Amino acid sequence: GESVGLHLPTLSVQEGDNSIINCAYSNSASDYFIWYKQESGKGPQFIIDIRSNMDKRQGQRVTVLLNKTVKHLSLQIAATQPGDSAVYFCAERARRYSTLTFGKGTMLLVSP
Amino acid sequence: DAGVTQSPTHLIKTRGQQVTLRCSPISGHKSVSWYQQVLGQGPQFIFQYYEKEERGRGNFPDRFSARQFPNYSSELNVNALLLGDSALYLCASSLSPLGTANTGELFFGEGSRLTVL
């Protein structure tokens, strides 16, 4: 399929390493954040979300951290696997609007 | 269960033509959103529909229009195509609009790849 990751920041890791993908969001009033994974030729897939009244949320092998002071969001993937290779987007929802604003994305490449 | 389905998957048009893209949401989902994803960028919001009413519109010209049908499927129309309209058009469905109290997890289709020559 076609790549959606041209000219994107790229993070290259070895299989088994922990990965940290960072995102700076723009709107201090945003109240809800989501991380999506997009594999080549496919639509974005929901990974994990977090509300602005939380600092951390854990899922299966993934953790999202939110630092509202510096408007920073991170996605931590434990024991990264080759199947985790994809483009990862953070998205924010501005309060009182029913839309998501996506960041530009980070390509994660996992080597066996 | 079927996910979000979009058609066509790929299409090629020339400048000035019109295009209609179709989307069927997940069964039971009443909200449909449309996003444009230019190569190398994140998706950009175009429209959201809920219960057949427009609930949000992004910063796109009037050449872009959409509608939702009684069965909650949706169409996105783009008139007078420009080269810059070349993109992956994504449809996403959710149980409720993102602006409501419930979490609005979006389920995306695989998109319609539009190339304008």
Side-chain angles (χ1 to χ4, degrees):
Chain A
E2 292 189 44
S3 169
V4 296
L6 297 179
H7 311 300
L8 288 174
T10 300
L11 174 65
S12 297
V13 301
Q14 295 286 326
E15 181 177 2
D17 287 351
N18 296 331
S19 303
I20 300 176
I21 300 171
N22 296 304
C23 173
Y25 63 92
S26 57
N27 190 342
S28 57
S30 292
D31 66 345
Y32 180 57
F33 305 87
I34 309 177
W35 278 101
Y36 285 92
K37 171 186 180 183
Q38 188 171 26
E39 296 174 279
S40 184
K42 295 187 176 181
Q45 179 185 9
F46 174 92
I47 302 173
I48 191 168
D49 60 0
I50 187 168
R51 295 192 175 279
S52 60
N53 61 355
M54 302 171 67
D55 296 323
K56 179 180 179 179
R57 190 162 189 225
Q58 287 184 293
Q60 187 177 16
R61 278 201 312 119
V62 294
T63 301
V64 56
L65 298 177
L66 175 62
N67 185 332
K68 294 181 287 294
T69 303
V70 295
K71 293 190 290 185
H72 183 267
L73 198 65
S74 69
L75 177 70
Q76 300 177 359
I77 304 174
T80 314
Q81 303 167 359
D84 294 327
S85 294
V87 178
Y88 289 80
F89 294 98
C90 66
E92 60 183 300
R93 181 185 76 184
R95 208 169 280 151
R96 292 180 293 177
Y97 291 91
S98 56
T99 68
L100 287 181
T101 300
F102 283 78
K104 292 188 176 180
T106 297
M107 175 174 278
L108 176 65
L109 296 175
V110 183
S111 305
Chain B
D1 286 341
V4 177
T5 57
Q6 292 186 244
S7 64
T9 54
H10 294 82
L11 69 166
I12 299 173
K13 294 285 188 177
T14 57
R15 280 177 295 177
Q17 286 189 310
Q18 176 264 342
V19 68
T20 298
L21 308 177
R22 295 175 177 83
C23 172
S24 293
I26 291 172
S27 177
H29 284 192
K30 298 181 179 180
S31 180
V32 169
S33 300
W34 287 95
Y35 287 78
Q36 180 196 64
Q37 186 175 27
V38 174
L39 202 61
Q41 301 286 327
Q44 250 193 310
F45 173 74
I46 311 176
F47 286 109
Q48 182 183 164
Y49 278 78
Y50 178 70
E51 290 280 18
K52 301 182 287 292
E53 291 188 0
E54 183 182 301
R55 291 290 296 264
R57 171 186 282 255
N59 188 24
F60 280 81
D62 291 343
R63 300 185 295 109
F64 288 76
S65 64
R67 55 180 175 168
Q68 187 176 33
F69 298 99
N71 66 353
Y72 304 112
S73 67
S74 178
E75 285 182 352
L76 174 70
N77 295 284
V78 188
N79 294 323
L81 285 167
L82 303 174
L83 295 179
D85 294 330
S86 296
L88 180 68
Y89 287 86
L90 293 162
C91 174
S93 75
S94 57
L95 283 169
S96 59
L98 285 173
T100 63
N102 297 320
T103 57
E105 179 184 328
L106 287 178
F107 294 85
F108 283 87
E110 298 202 342
S112 294
R113 169 69 62 186
L114 171 64
T115 301
V116 182
L117 301 176

